């Protein structure tokens, strides 16, 4: 009887999650000191995460990943924003020669694959003095059926790895010339810094200096499901 009751509760919880699409509330924070620094932070919070353990799990993971050392327990978005901005401004104010510095973190959230996967896009643009600033683009994708993040490390470790790297290298040479790359062939290609699941394939992201010079910026290439399937790689994002 106890097992039956537990199973019923679990089924009911899963059904509740399936009926709870993520609803977002955008949190923003701005701070500045003329001639010295500016901070602009944008975070996407799942407002109805309390309705479902799966949404709560995703919200917690995104909060921890976004704020890193500024994250607190229990989660406090506004306090974490202030802490993150304060860490940056303190560093700039302690630097005599740092002027017109900035920290912009902009997050967007969207679903893909018939609303079965939730993805976050986080763009970071920072200048803290020196010759130039830095930009980076990060994606995190989560299953809305389990709440688990997709880990693409296995793409680079298996009999399909060489074929996938060849596809990626060929795509990169379509975006920039081979002479602009810091690698000579697909065998030297590093693991992508970030991967996004789209409706038709995967987008692989390489940050500046990862495979090319800073001048080339952030490089993104997409490989279709069909091309990936030809490598015999297990396509967990489709399952």
């Amino acid at each position: 009887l106890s097992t039956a009751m537990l199973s019923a509760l679990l089924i009911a919880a899963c059904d509740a999650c399936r009926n709870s699409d993520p609803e977002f509330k955008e949190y923003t924070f701005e701070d500045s000191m003329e001639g010295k620094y500016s901070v602009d932070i944008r975070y996407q919070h799942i407002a109805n995460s309390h309705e479902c353990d799966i949404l709560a799990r995703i919200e917690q993971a995104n909060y921890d990943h976004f704020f890193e050392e500024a994250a607190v327990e229990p989660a406090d978005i506004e306090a974490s924003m202030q802490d993150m901005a304060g860490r940056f401004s303190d560093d700039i104010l302690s630097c005599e020669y740092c002027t017109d510095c900035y920290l912009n973190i902009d997050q967007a959230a969207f679903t893909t694959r018939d609303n079965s996967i939730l993805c976050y896009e986080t763009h970071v643009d920072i200048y803290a003095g020196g010759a130039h600033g830095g930009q980076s683009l990060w994606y995190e994708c989560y299953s809305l059926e389990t709440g688990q993040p997709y880990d693409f490390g296995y793409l680079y470790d298996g009999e399909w790895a060489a074929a996938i790297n060849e596809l990626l290298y060929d795509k990169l040479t379509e975006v920039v010339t081979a002479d602009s790359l810091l690698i000579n062939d697909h065998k030297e290609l590093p693991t992508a810094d970030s991967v996004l699941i789209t409706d038709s394939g995967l987008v692989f992201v390489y940050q500046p200096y990862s495979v090319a010079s800073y001048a080339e910026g952030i490089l993104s290439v997409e490989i279709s499901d069909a091309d990936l399937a030809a490598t015999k790689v297990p396509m967990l994002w489709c399952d």
Side-chain angles (χ1 to χ4, degrees), residues 21-199:
D21 294 330
E23 299 171 2
F24 293 95
K25 176 182 178 181
E26 185 173 274
Y27 280 78
T28 60
F29 182 90
E30 296 181 5
D31 183 32
S32 64
M33 177 180 289
E34 185 174 358
K36 198 64 178 177
Y37 71 86
S38 66
V39 176
D40 189 350
I41 303 172
R42 191 179 311 275
Y43 175 81
Q44 303 298 331
H45 166 62
I46 302 179
N48 61 331
S49 59
H50 61 282
E51 297 178 358
C52 167
D53 287 344
I54 289 175
L55 295 182
R57 192 179 304 130
I58 296 173
E59 169 62 27
Q60 185 66 53
N62 182 55
Y63 172 81
D64 292 338
H65 185 265
F66 186 93
F67 290 107
E68 296 182 330
E69 67 270 14
V72 296
E73 188 62 38
D76 188 325
I77 297 170
E78 292 179 344
S80 293
M81 283 184 158
Q82 293 177 359
D83 185 19
M84 178 180 282
R87 292 168 185 264
F88 178 76
S89 60
D90 287 347
D91 288 341
I92 300 305
L93 292 175
S94 65
C95 173
E96 181 180 356
Y97 304 103
C98 295
T99 59
D100 297 323
C101 297
Y102 52 81
L103 172 64
N104 300 321
I105 307 178
D106 190 4
Q107 184 173 81
F110 52 91
T111 60
T112 187
R113 303 281 172 160
D114 293 326
N115 297 321
S116 66
I117 297 173
L118 171 60
C119 297
Y120 292 94
E121 176 187 270
T122 305
H123 186 266
V124 181
D125 190 5
I126 183 172
Y127 175 67
H132 56 72
Q135 291 190 346
S136 59
L137 178 64
W138 304 98
Y139 289 107
E140 291 289 334
C141 294
Y142 298 86
S143 167
L144 284 172
E145 293 186 2
T146 66
Q148 295 300 312
Y150 285 88
D151 183 354
F152 296 99
Y154 76 97
L155 298 180
Y156 310 95
D157 184 20
E159 58 187 23
W160 47 78
I164 291 177
N165 276 352
E166 285 190 50
L167 287 171
L168 288 170
Y169 185 82
D170 290 343
K171 289 288 186 179
L172 282 169
T173 56
E174 294 176 6
V175 177
V176 296
T177 62
D179 293 339
S180 299
L181 293 174
L182 301 177
I183 55 177
N184 297 312
D185 55 40
H186 72 275
K187 296 178 181 178
E188 299 179 5
L189 189 66
T191 301
D193 297 304
S194 186
V195 179
L196 167 68
I197 302 171
T198 70
D199 285 327

